[in-house]
Amino acid sequence: MASKSQPDKRQNRKRILFSFNVDLESPLGVVFQYLMHNPKMPSQMGKQKGVEAIAAFWRPFAFQMQGQVNDDELKVLARESLMTLQRQMELIAETFEVELPQSDAVTPELEVALERTVERVLQRYVGAGALSLQKTPTPAHAAGVTSTDSMLVPPGEEGVGFELDMFQEFESVSPKDLVS
């Protein structure tokens, strides 16, 4: 509590009063009733969860429009929003036993380009003798845990650099390869 010699800083803050009226029977009214009258959480927590949901959707845009945050800080805000939204999507999917929507990030064209890239890199390694084609799989003879960390792999058993070559090869794919 503020003493008489020091003014309470909270009294000098500018504030926004956000209020919203909605019909109880409307879909949004059902959501608000859930948030405010859920026996699993106090009303104040329900209100807080509603506000957090709004913030997850709009915080990066709001700070971008304000113009006082640099690009790196905006990216941090955007990632935080995405993580919050992803957690909520996972909760919904798990609770209601539905699959998460598939991302459009991997288009059919991108899949084809990835397959072509893998084929080219594999052919290069087979041609160089770094990999050999086997007709039947052979069981692994090494016991214990294997690792891709070069400090933990015995000499002579290092990887062939396949992952690095895959990334380099895929970076060389041109946009026209993605639409063929």
Side-chain angles (χ1 to χ4, degrees):
M1 182 147 52
S3 69
K4 290 184 179 184
S5 63
Q6 294 181 347
D8 186 355
K9 291 180 182 179
R10 292 180 293 176
Q11 291 177 354
N12 297 329
R13 293 187 300 187
K14 293 181 181 179
R15 306 197 36 111
I16 292 177
L17 175 62
F18 181 82
S19 102
F20 192 77
N21 291 318
V22 63
D23 291 331
L24 289 177
E25 302 302 319
S26 72
L28 196 52
V30 172
V31 171
F32 285 159
Q33 285 184 74
Y34 168 79
L35 290 171
M36 297 184 65
H37 303 295
N38 186 337
K40 296 180 182 177
M41 62 183 156
S43 176
Q44 187 62 33
M45 184 185 291
K47 290 177 186 177
Q48 183 65 29
K49 290 201 175 286
V51 170
E52 288 170 2
I54 293 169
F57 263 77
W58 300 111
R59 182 180 294 126
F61 298 103
F63 278 88
Q64 180 185 43
M65 189 172 109
Q66 183 188 37
Q68 296 180 5
V69 178
N70 68 39
D71 286 346
D72 289 338
E73 292 168 319
L74 284 173
K75 287 181 181 188
V76 168
L77 290 171
R79 284 187 197 100
E80 288 172 354
S81 287
L82 289 172
M83 288 187 304
T84 300
L85 295 168
Q86 180 67 33
R87 283 192 304 270
Q88 188 66 19
M89 288 174 60
E90 290 166 358
L91 175 64
I92 292 168
E94 182 180 316
T95 301
F96 298 100
E97 298 177 353
V98 296
E99 291 183 28
L100 286 168
Q102 297 299 313
S103 171
D104 291 337
V106 180
T107 62
E109 295 82 12
L110 184 57
E111 282 187 45
V112 169
L114 285 168
E115 288 173 9
R116 290 178 185 161
T117 301
V118 170
E119 288 173 9
R120 284 194 301 266
V121 172
L122 282 173
Q123 288 172 357
R124 187 179 322 135
Y125 275 92
V126 169
L131 294 175
S132 61
L133 296 176
Q134 296 179 342
K135 300 283 184 202
T136 57
T138 57
H141 297 291
V145 178
T146 59
S147 174
T148 57
D149 185 335
S150 60
M151 297 299 291
L152 302 175
V153 178
E157 294 183 22
E158 299 91 354
V160 291
F162 181 77
E163 292 170 348
L164 180 60
D165 280 358
M166 283 298 299
F167 286 117
Q168 290 172 344
E169 182 74 27
F170 191 70
E171 284 179 350
S172 71
V173 173
S174 72
K176 67 180 180 180
D177 291 334
L178 299 177
V179 292
S180 60

